[in-house]
Amino acid sequence: MDAVERANADRQKKWVKDQKVGEGTYAVVYRGRELATGRKIAIKKIKVGQFKDGLDMSAVREVKYLRELHHPNVIELLDVFSSKTNLNLVLEFLDTDLEMIIKDRSLVFLPADIKSWMAMMFRGLEFCHRNFILHRDLKPNNLLIASDGQLKIADFGLARDAADPGYKMTCQVITRWYRPPELLFGCRYYSTAVDIWSVGCIFAELMLRTPYLPGESDMDQLKTIFRALGTPTEEEWPGHTKLPDYVSIGQFPRTPLRDLFTAATADTLNLLSKCIVYEPRKRISAKDALNHPYFFALPYPTHPSKLPKTIAQTTAAASRPLDEVDGNVDLNSGAGPGATAAGTAPPKKLKRKLSGHDTSRNIARKLDFTAA
Amino acid sequence: MQPPPSPDVTSPAKTPLFHSSTQYKNWRFSTEQLRVTRTALNEAAIAAIRNTFESDSPGSSSDVHFLDAHEELLLVKLYITKISQLCGHFRFPEEVEATGITYLKRFYLKNTVMDWHPKNVMLTALFLATKTTNHPISLESYTSNIPRTRPSDVLDLEFLVAQSLAFEFAVWHAHRALWGLWLDIQELSQAPPHEELERVYDTALQHIRTSRLTDVELIYPPSQIALACLTLAHPEIAASWARSKNAEAALEAIESIKRTITRDGDIPSVDVVREIDRRLKICKNPEKVVGSKAYLAKKAKEDSESELKRMRKADNVRKAVEQGDPFGEELAREANLDDDD
Ligand SMILES: Nc1ncnc2c1ncn2[C@@H]1O[C@H](COP(=O)(O)OP(=O)(O)OP(=O)(O)O)[C@@H](O)[C@H]1O
Ligand SMILES: [Mg+2]
């Protein structure tokens, strides 16, 4: 065996793959663990053989950037190894994402919670931008949440180096609802400001609990933006009418943010408005955002561990291994003795969370069956 | 007077980032480390290939004249120049060229030319570099523009190359650092006229291109290589830059870079390399030559091993189901899911 193959085999042996947890466009994701420590990890398996141009660009980008970036608010790539024709990325395991949290209607967000998520988002993004990396696909679904509540920027499949001024880039990036107007107008010379617009949209979404600018097509996206923020004037955004795909969409008046975000403080709206400034060069930078009064005013950001959690998150933290879940007894009380633990009633919280979690119940039944 | 801050690689703001890069951590060596690594690789390859020859027909390796580490290096160097030619042909940007060259060099710190001939490794390294620098082209148009090359020549090796690079694709280049210096020196108070500065920049860039034929990028950070090349182009300007940054000490550190570039920056003689390549045809590892007897033997062995593993796995699942193991079914489902590794 070659030294390179041997090194790969050694790396591979360090990680155990357990079960499939998700599937993306170009990869299957498994839950797994580190053999030596039992630490929970995720393995993202990318099929390589299926592309006629070899290694897929998204995989190349993701590996390239995650190999270099180490920050508490950027997902950690722990290892890379290959198995036959697959590329395996070993990532820290993250329980949920911001989209699921936003959609979970049982959760209530306090302004301090939103501030905490925004601070983590800006810290991670400031680090990317400081490294001259544009993410180009920020959206709630790509902001993953660790069991300790830390928010992590993930999915670097569209990322690229911030180009030298004057270098053309594709404008076909960023999921539509989070895409800034300069890209919708076909601008090919853009900057870190594109990510800031996305962050602004996410900020608004955290307050509204529904996407802020949900356009139905690229054209409708511009209309949706202008309806919300008013049609930009030449003064507000010099030169925008000269952009390659500029079209006149109609005149919409500017309505104050205050009308929609009725409960927000002045600092909050000030920072939000600076993220969604039309003129990209006037949009706030991640670094300046972190120094914005919003982050220094009361209420202070919630500690990450105290942030609202989804049901999946709490069970994930509490359920495995089975015998550690003292609330289990109650769940199976109808089905016979099963796994009997202490006779104390389970904490109410845990009970609510465990019900509706099918897998843990299935496993429990199977255990019953063998015992019988 | 302090010069204004610039987004350059040598400026303090950016240096710490380089220090956390994979290049800084995993791809910098001393001259001695490079020598030891290459010698060890070379000797291990010779031992393994000799062994293969002997087991095929005893005594057959005695008159084979294997390559030594220096000869391997000369061959790689020749293929570095081929990358530049191809980049000219395809009009790839400097970033692609420099990255492809770095990949080729790093590859041969993990492999030897007796296992993997640099021609296809070079083609693969460059193709991979087009992707990692975000200038992708289709494999079809890449290989159809290179004589006697098929897509499979690249596809077969891409994974091996990526693996040899430890999937560390980001490279910090001296030409980018030189760009930073160039922005700085225009701000110098006694800067020469712009046309002269441009000539200096072009000359320094030529030195950087020459430096790619040498080991300097495996030893020194890009900012020092850039400064060395600027010094080779125009010592006075380099010195006043260093003064403006209070970095006169940097000028001493770059003496050995200058020496190495001047000493090793020549293109190897075609005759010498042709002779090496001729010998390589005889001493290359037969296990890596697709279709050869040794290759087929090795592959048959590997196939039967993985077949055995698969059968054992299937067997376990079957037994588990038969014995009514409650997890048997689940195991079977997972085994299916995972049929490909
Ligand atoms: N680090 C992780 N920890 C835990 N689960 C993860 C992790 N990364 C991904 N997942 C799960 O796997 C799923 C697929 O992830 P992936 O990033 O490949 O694709 P995606 O973001 O869902 O889709 P797309 O590829 O279209 O962006 C995710 O939706 C998530 O449920
Ligand atoms: Mg995603």
Side-chain angles (χ1 to χ4, degrees), chain A residues 47-92:
Chain A
K47 296 215 174 190
V48 174
Q50 65 186 10
F51 303 104
K52 74 171 184 4
D53 290 321
L55 276 176
D56 173 61
M57 276 299 284
S58 308
V60 165
R61 291 194 186 105
E62 185 137 87
V63 172
K64 175 181 172 185
Y65 293 115
L66 290 184
R67 267 293 197 207
E68 306 295 319
L69 293 172
H70 303 284
H71 186 275
N73 299 116
V74 174
I75 189 170
E76 183 81 13
L77 176 64
L78 301 163
D79 205 350
V80 184
F81 65 85
S82 57
S83 51
K84 287 209 175 159
T85 57
N86 298 315
L87 180 60
N88 295 271
L89 313 190
V90 182
L91 298 159
E92 60 178 321

Short mmCIF file of all heavy atoms in Angstrom, two decimals, chain A residues 47-92:
data_model
loop_
_atom_site.label_atom_id
_atom_site.label_comp_id
_atom_site.label_asym_id
_atom_site.label_seq_id
_atom_site.Cartn_x
_atom_site.Cartn_y
_atom_site.Cartn_z
N LYS A 47 -20.38 11.56 -3.29
CA LYS A 47 -20.02 10.60 -4.35
C LYS A 47 -19.18 11.30 -5.39
O LYS A 47 -19.56 12.36 -5.89
CB LYS A 47 -21.28 10.05 -5.00
CG LYS A 47 -22.10 9.28 -4.01
CD LYS A 47 -22.78 8.10 -4.65
CE LYS A 47 -23.42 7.34 -3.53
NZ LYS A 47 -23.94 6.08 -3.82
N VAL A 48 -18.05 10.72 -5.70
CA VAL A 48 -17.15 11.38 -6.62
C VAL A 48 -17.29 10.83 -8.03
O VAL A 48 -17.29 11.56 -9.01
CB VAL A 48 -15.69 11.24 -6.14
CG1 VAL A 48 -14.74 11.80 -7.16
CG2 VAL A 48 -15.52 12.00 -4.82
N GLY A 49 -17.47 9.51 -8.13
CA GLY A 49 -17.47 8.86 -9.43
C GLY A 49 -18.52 9.38 -10.40
O GLY A 49 -18.37 9.27 -11.60
N GLN A 50 -19.58 9.99 -9.88
CA GLN A 50 -20.73 10.27 -10.74
C GLN A 50 -20.59 11.54 -11.59
O GLN A 50 -21.44 11.82 -12.41
CB GLN A 50 -21.99 10.36 -9.89
CG GLN A 50 -21.96 11.53 -8.93
CD GLN A 50 -23.15 11.54 -7.98
OE1 GLN A 50 -23.89 10.59 -7.92
NE2 GLN A 50 -23.32 12.62 -7.26
N PHE A 51 -19.53 12.30 -11.38
CA PHE A 51 -19.42 13.55 -12.13
C PHE A 51 -18.45 13.39 -13.29
O PHE A 51 -17.34 12.92 -13.11
CB PHE A 51 -18.94 14.67 -11.22
CG PHE A 51 -19.83 14.89 -10.02
CD1 PHE A 51 -19.45 14.45 -8.77
CD2 PHE A 51 -21.06 15.52 -10.16
CE1 PHE A 51 -20.27 14.64 -7.66
CE2 PHE A 51 -21.88 15.71 -9.06
CZ PHE A 51 -21.49 15.27 -7.81
N LYS A 52 -18.86 13.83 -14.47
CA LYS A 52 -17.98 13.63 -15.63
C LYS A 52 -16.78 14.57 -15.57
O LYS A 52 -15.77 14.33 -16.22
CB LYS A 52 -18.76 13.78 -16.93
CG LYS A 52 -19.16 15.21 -17.31
CD LYS A 52 -19.72 15.23 -18.71
CE LYS A 52 -20.07 16.60 -19.25
NZ LYS A 52 -19.77 17.79 -18.48
N ASP A 53 -16.88 15.62 -14.80
CA ASP A 53 -15.73 16.51 -14.66
C ASP A 53 -14.95 16.23 -13.38
O ASP A 53 -14.23 17.09 -12.88
CB ASP A 53 -16.19 17.97 -14.68
CG ASP A 53 -16.66 18.37 -16.08
OD1 ASP A 53 -16.02 17.94 -17.05
OD2 ASP A 53 -17.66 19.10 -16.19
N GLY A 54 -15.11 15.04 -12.83
CA GLY A 54 -14.35 14.69 -11.64
C GLY A 54 -14.92 15.35 -10.40
O GLY A 54 -16.12 15.63 -10.32
N LEU A 55 -14.06 15.61 -9.43
CA LEU A 55 -14.49 16.21 -8.16
C LEU A 55 -15.41 17.39 -8.41
O LEU A 55 -15.08 18.32 -9.15
CB LEU A 55 -13.27 16.70 -7.38
CG LEU A 55 -12.51 15.71 -6.51
CD1 LEU A 55 -11.29 16.39 -5.91
CD2 LEU A 55 -13.40 15.19 -5.39
N ASP A 56 -16.54 17.35 -7.74
CA ASP A 56 -17.56 18.36 -7.91
C ASP A 56 -17.11 19.71 -7.32
O ASP A 56 -16.47 19.76 -6.27
CB ASP A 56 -18.80 17.84 -7.19
CG ASP A 56 -19.90 18.84 -7.13
OD1 ASP A 56 -20.36 19.26 -8.20
OD2 ASP A 56 -20.28 19.22 -6.00
N MET A 57 -17.47 20.80 -8.00
CA MET A 57 -17.03 22.13 -7.55
C MET A 57 -17.51 22.47 -6.14
O MET A 57 -16.78 23.10 -5.38
CB MET A 57 -17.53 23.21 -8.53
CG MET A 57 -16.66 23.42 -9.74
SD MET A 57 -14.99 23.96 -9.34
CE MET A 57 -15.24 25.68 -8.90
N SER A 58 -18.74 22.10 -5.81
CA SER A 58 -19.23 22.42 -4.46
C SER A 58 -18.37 21.73 -3.41
O SER A 58 -18.02 22.33 -2.40
CB SER A 58 -20.67 21.95 -4.28
OG SER A 58 -21.46 22.44 -5.30
N ALA A 59 -18.03 20.47 -3.69
CA ALA A 59 -17.20 19.74 -2.73
C ALA A 59 -15.82 20.37 -2.64
O ALA A 59 -15.27 20.53 -1.55
CB ALA A 59 -17.09 18.28 -3.16
N VAL A 60 -15.27 20.75 -3.78
CA VAL A 60 -13.95 21.37 -3.80
C VAL A 60 -13.95 22.64 -2.96
O VAL A 60 -13.08 22.87 -2.12
CB VAL A 60 -13.51 21.67 -5.25
CG1 VAL A 60 -12.34 22.63 -5.27
CG2 VAL A 60 -13.14 20.38 -5.97
N ARG A 61 -14.99 23.47 -3.16
CA ARG A 61 -15.07 24.73 -2.41
C ARG A 61 -15.22 24.46 -0.93
O ARG A 61 -14.54 25.07 -0.10
CB ARG A 61 -16.27 25.54 -2.88
CG ARG A 61 -16.14 26.08 -4.28
CD ARG A 61 -17.21 27.14 -4.50
NE ARG A 61 -17.22 27.60 -5.87
CZ ARG A 61 -18.14 27.25 -6.76
NH1 ARG A 61 -19.12 26.43 -6.43
NH2 ARG A 61 -18.08 27.71 -7.99
N GLU A 62 -16.14 23.56 -0.61
CA GLU A 62 -16.39 23.30 0.80
C GLU A 62 -15.12 22.83 1.51
O GLU A 62 -14.76 23.32 2.57
CB GLU A 62 -17.50 22.25 0.93
CG GLU A 62 -17.91 22.00 2.36
CD GLU A 62 -19.40 21.89 2.53
OE1 GLU A 62 -19.95 20.78 2.36
OE2 GLU A 62 -20.04 22.92 2.82
N VAL A 63 -14.43 21.90 0.88
CA VAL A 63 -13.21 21.37 1.49
C VAL A 63 -12.15 22.45 1.57
O VAL A 63 -11.50 22.65 2.60
CB VAL A 63 -12.67 20.16 0.70
CG1 VAL A 63 -11.31 19.74 1.22
CG2 VAL A 63 -13.65 19.00 0.78
N LYS A 64 -11.97 23.18 0.49
CA LYS A 64 -10.93 24.20 0.46
C LYS A 64 -11.10 25.20 1.61
O LYS A 64 -10.15 25.49 2.33
CB LYS A 64 -10.96 24.95 -0.87
CG LYS A 64 -9.98 26.11 -0.93
CD LYS A 64 -10.03 26.86 -2.25
CE LYS A 64 -9.18 28.12 -2.17
NZ LYS A 64 -9.28 28.94 -3.39
N TYR A 65 -12.31 25.71 1.79
CA TYR A 65 -12.49 26.75 2.78
C TYR A 65 -12.54 26.20 4.20
O TYR A 65 -11.95 26.76 5.11
CB TYR A 65 -13.71 27.61 2.45
CG TYR A 65 -13.46 28.39 1.18
CD1 TYR A 65 -14.19 28.16 0.04
CD2 TYR A 65 -12.41 29.30 1.12
CE1 TYR A 65 -13.92 28.84 -1.13
CE2 TYR A 65 -12.12 29.98 -0.04
CZ TYR A 65 -12.87 29.75 -1.16
OH TYR A 65 -12.58 30.40 -2.32
N LEU A 66 -13.25 25.09 4.37
CA LEU A 66 -13.37 24.58 5.74
C LEU A 66 -12.04 24.07 6.27
O LEU A 66 -11.80 24.07 7.47
CB LEU A 66 -14.45 23.51 5.82
CG LEU A 66 -15.87 24.01 5.64
CD1 LEU A 66 -16.88 22.89 5.83
CD2 LEU A 66 -16.18 25.15 6.61
N ARG A 67 -11.14 23.66 5.38
CA ARG A 67 -9.81 23.24 5.81
C ARG A 67 -9.04 24.39 6.46
O ARG A 67 -8.19 24.19 7.31
CB ARG A 67 -9.00 22.78 4.59
CG ARG A 67 -9.06 21.30 4.29
CD ARG A 67 -8.38 20.53 5.37
NE ARG A 67 -8.04 19.17 4.99
CZ ARG A 67 -7.94 18.19 5.88
NH1 ARG A 67 -8.17 18.41 7.14
NH2 ARG A 67 -7.60 16.99 5.49
N GLU A 68 -9.35 25.62 6.01
CA GLU A 68 -8.58 26.77 6.49
C GLU A 68 -9.25 27.49 7.66
O GLU A 68 -8.58 28.14 8.45
CB GLU A 68 -8.37 27.79 5.36
CG GLU A 68 -7.74 27.22 4.09
CD GLU A 68 -6.30 26.72 4.29
OE1 GLU A 68 -5.53 27.37 4.99
OE2 GLU A 68 -6.00 25.64 3.72
N LEU A 69 -10.58 27.43 7.72
CA LEU A 69 -11.31 28.28 8.66
C LEU A 69 -11.54 27.56 9.99
O LEU A 69 -12.14 26.49 10.02
CB LEU A 69 -12.67 28.67 8.07
CG LEU A 69 -12.65 29.58 6.84
CD1 LEU A 69 -14.05 29.72 6.27
CD2 LEU A 69 -12.08 30.96 7.19
N HIS A 70 -11.07 28.16 11.05
CA HIS A 70 -11.34 27.59 12.38
C HIS A 70 -11.84 28.70 13.27
O HIS A 70 -11.09 29.62 13.61
CB HIS A 70 -10.07 26.96 12.96
CG HIS A 70 -9.50 25.89 12.05
ND1 HIS A 70 -10.06 24.65 11.93
CD2 HIS A 70 -8.46 25.93 11.19
CE1 HIS A 70 -9.38 23.94 11.04
NE2 HIS A 70 -8.40 24.70 10.58
N HIS A 71 -13.12 28.62 13.60
CA HIS A 71 -13.74 29.69 14.39
C HIS A 71 -14.98 29.09 15.06
O HIS A 71 -15.65 28.25 14.47
CB HIS A 71 -14.14 30.84 13.45
CG HIS A 71 -14.67 32.05 14.17
ND1 HIS A 71 -16.00 32.16 14.54
CD2 HIS A 71 -14.05 33.18 14.58
CE1 HIS A 71 -16.17 33.32 15.16
NE2 HIS A 71 -15.01 33.96 15.20
N PRO A 72 -15.29 29.53 16.29
CA PRO A 72 -16.44 28.95 16.99
C PRO A 72 -17.75 29.10 16.23
O PRO A 72 -18.69 28.33 16.45
CB PRO A 72 -16.50 29.76 18.30
CG PRO A 72 -15.19 30.44 18.43
CD PRO A 72 -14.54 30.49 17.09
N ASN A 73 -17.85 30.07 15.33
CA ASN A 73 -19.10 30.26 14.61
C ASN A 73 -19.02 29.85 13.14
O ASN A 73 -19.78 30.31 12.30
CB ASN A 73 -19.58 31.71 14.75
CG ASN A 73 -19.83 32.07 16.20
OD1 ASN A 73 -19.16 32.93 16.77
ND2 ASN A 73 -20.77 31.38 16.83
N VAL A 74 -18.06 29.01 12.85
CA VAL A 74 -17.98 28.39 11.52
C VAL A 74 -17.89 26.89 11.75
O VAL A 74 -17.13 26.45 12.62
CB VAL A 74 -16.74 28.89 10.74
CG1 VAL A 74 -16.60 28.13 9.42
CG2 VAL A 74 -16.83 30.39 10.49
N ILE A 75 -18.65 26.12 11.00
CA ILE A 75 -18.67 24.67 11.22
C ILE A 75 -17.25 24.14 11.07
O ILE A 75 -16.49 24.54 10.20
CB ILE A 75 -19.65 23.96 10.25
CG1 ILE A 75 -19.81 22.50 10.64
CG2 ILE A 75 -19.21 24.10 8.81
CD1 ILE A 75 -20.94 21.78 9.90
N GLU A 76 -16.90 23.21 11.97
CA GLU A 76 -15.53 22.70 12.00
C GLU A 76 -15.42 21.43 11.16
O GLU A 76 -16.18 20.48 11.35
CB GLU A 76 -15.15 22.41 13.46
CG GLU A 76 -13.73 21.92 13.68
CD GLU A 76 -12.70 23.05 13.72
OE1 GLU A 76 -13.09 24.22 13.81
OE2 GLU A 76 -11.50 22.73 13.63
N LEU A 77 -14.50 21.46 10.23
CA LEU A 77 -14.20 20.25 9.45
C LEU A 77 -13.10 19.52 10.20
O LEU A 77 -11.98 20.03 10.33
CB LEU A 77 -13.74 20.64 8.05
CG LEU A 77 -13.29 19.50 7.13
CD1 LEU A 77 -14.43 18.57 6.82
CD2 LEU A 77 -12.72 20.07 5.83
N LEU A 78 -13.42 18.35 10.72
CA LEU A 78 -12.46 17.66 11.58
C LEU A 78 -11.48 16.82 10.79
O LEU A 78 -10.34 16.64 11.18
CB LEU A 78 -13.21 16.78 12.58
CG LEU A 78 -14.20 17.52 13.48
CD1 LEU A 78 -15.17 16.56 14.13
CD2 LEU A 78 -13.44 18.31 14.54
N ASP A 79 -11.94 16.29 9.67
CA ASP A 79 -11.08 15.39 8.92
C ASP A 79 -11.67 15.18 7.53
O ASP A 79 -12.85 15.47 7.30
CB ASP A 79 -10.99 14.04 9.65
CG ASP A 79 -9.71 13.27 9.33
OD1 ASP A 79 -8.99 13.69 8.41
OD2 ASP A 79 -9.46 12.26 10.00
N VAL A 80 -10.86 14.70 6.63
CA VAL A 80 -11.32 14.32 5.30
C VAL A 80 -10.68 12.99 4.98
O VAL A 80 -9.49 12.80 5.20
CB VAL A 80 -10.88 15.34 4.22
CG1 VAL A 80 -11.46 14.96 2.86
CG2 VAL A 80 -11.28 16.74 4.60
N PHE A 81 -11.49 12.03 4.52
CA PHE A 81 -10.88 10.80 4.04
C PHE A 81 -11.71 10.26 2.89
O PHE A 81 -12.83 10.73 2.64
CB PHE A 81 -10.76 9.76 5.17
CG PHE A 81 -12.08 9.27 5.71
CD1 PHE A 81 -12.76 8.23 5.10
CD2 PHE A 81 -12.64 9.87 6.83
CE1 PHE A 81 -13.97 7.78 5.59
CE2 PHE A 81 -13.86 9.42 7.33
CZ PHE A 81 -14.53 8.37 6.71
N SER A 82 -11.14 9.30 2.17
CA SER A 82 -11.87 8.74 1.05
C SER A 82 -12.14 7.28 1.31
O SER A 82 -11.40 6.61 2.02
CB SER A 82 -11.04 8.91 -0.21
OG SER A 82 -9.79 8.28 -0.02
N SER A 83 -13.25 6.81 0.76
CA SER A 83 -13.53 5.38 0.79
C SER A 83 -13.96 5.02 -0.62
O SER A 83 -14.97 5.51 -1.09
CB SER A 83 -14.63 5.07 1.80
OG SER A 83 -15.74 5.90 1.57
N LYS A 84 -13.18 4.19 -1.26
CA LYS A 84 -13.41 3.88 -2.68
C LYS A 84 -13.62 5.16 -3.48
O LYS A 84 -12.74 5.98 -3.55
CB LYS A 84 -14.56 2.90 -2.82
CG LYS A 84 -14.14 1.52 -2.36
CD LYS A 84 -14.89 0.43 -3.07
CE LYS A 84 -14.33 -0.90 -2.65
NZ LYS A 84 -15.26 -1.99 -2.87
N THR A 85 -14.83 5.34 -4.02
CA THR A 85 -15.02 6.53 -4.86
C THR A 85 -15.75 7.63 -4.12
O THR A 85 -16.29 8.54 -4.74
CB THR A 85 -15.81 6.16 -6.11
OG1 THR A 85 -17.04 5.60 -5.69
CG2 THR A 85 -15.05 5.19 -6.97
N ASN A 86 -15.77 7.57 -2.80
CA ASN A 86 -16.46 8.63 -2.05
C ASN A 86 -15.48 9.51 -1.30
O ASN A 86 -14.45 9.05 -0.84
CB ASN A 86 -17.42 8.02 -1.03
CG ASN A 86 -18.49 7.20 -1.70
OD1 ASN A 86 -19.06 7.62 -2.69
ND2 ASN A 86 -18.72 6.02 -1.18
N LEU A 87 -15.88 10.75 -1.20
CA LEU A 87 -15.13 11.69 -0.39
C LEU A 87 -15.93 11.88 0.89
O LEU A 87 -17.13 12.14 0.83
CB LEU A 87 -15.01 13.00 -1.16
CG LEU A 87 -14.26 14.15 -0.55
CD1 LEU A 87 -12.83 13.75 -0.27
CD2 LEU A 87 -14.28 15.33 -1.50
N ASN A 88 -15.30 11.72 2.03
CA ASN A 88 -16.01 11.84 3.29
C ASN A 88 -15.50 13.04 4.09
O ASN A 88 -14.30 13.12 4.38
CB ASN A 88 -15.81 10.58 4.14
CG ASN A 88 -16.44 9.37 3.49
OD1 ASN A 88 -17.60 9.06 3.72
ND2 ASN A 88 -15.67 8.68 2.66
N LEU A 89 -16.41 13.94 4.40
CA LEU A 89 -16.03 15.07 5.24
C LEU A 89 -16.51 14.79 6.66
O LEU A 89 -17.70 14.53 6.86
CB LEU A 89 -16.68 16.37 4.76
CG LEU A 89 -16.62 16.70 3.27
CD1 LEU A 89 -17.09 18.13 3.04
CD2 LEU A 89 -15.22 16.51 2.74
N VAL A 90 -15.61 14.82 7.60
CA VAL A 90 -15.99 14.62 8.99
C VAL A 90 -16.22 16.00 9.61
O VAL A 90 -15.29 16.81 9.68
CB VAL A 90 -14.91 13.86 9.78
CG1 VAL A 90 -15.35 13.63 11.22
CG2 VAL A 90 -14.58 12.54 9.09
N LEU A 91 -17.45 16.26 10.00
CA LEU A 91 -17.82 17.57 10.53
C LEU A 91 -18.27 17.44 11.98
O LEU A 91 -18.71 16.36 12.40
CB LEU A 91 -18.99 18.14 9.73
CG LEU A 91 -18.73 18.39 8.25
CD1 LEU A 91 -20.05 18.44 7.49
CD2 LEU A 91 -17.95 19.68 8.06
N GLU A 92 -18.17 18.52 12.71
CA GLU A 92 -18.76 18.48 14.05
C GLU A 92 -20.26 18.27 13.89
O GLU A 92 -20.86 18.75 12.93
CB GLU A 92 -18.46 19.77 14.82
CG GLU A 92 -18.98 21.03 14.18
CD GLU A 92 -18.68 22.28 15.01
OE1 GLU A 92 -18.77 22.20 16.25
OE2 GLU A 92 -18.37 23.32 14.42
#
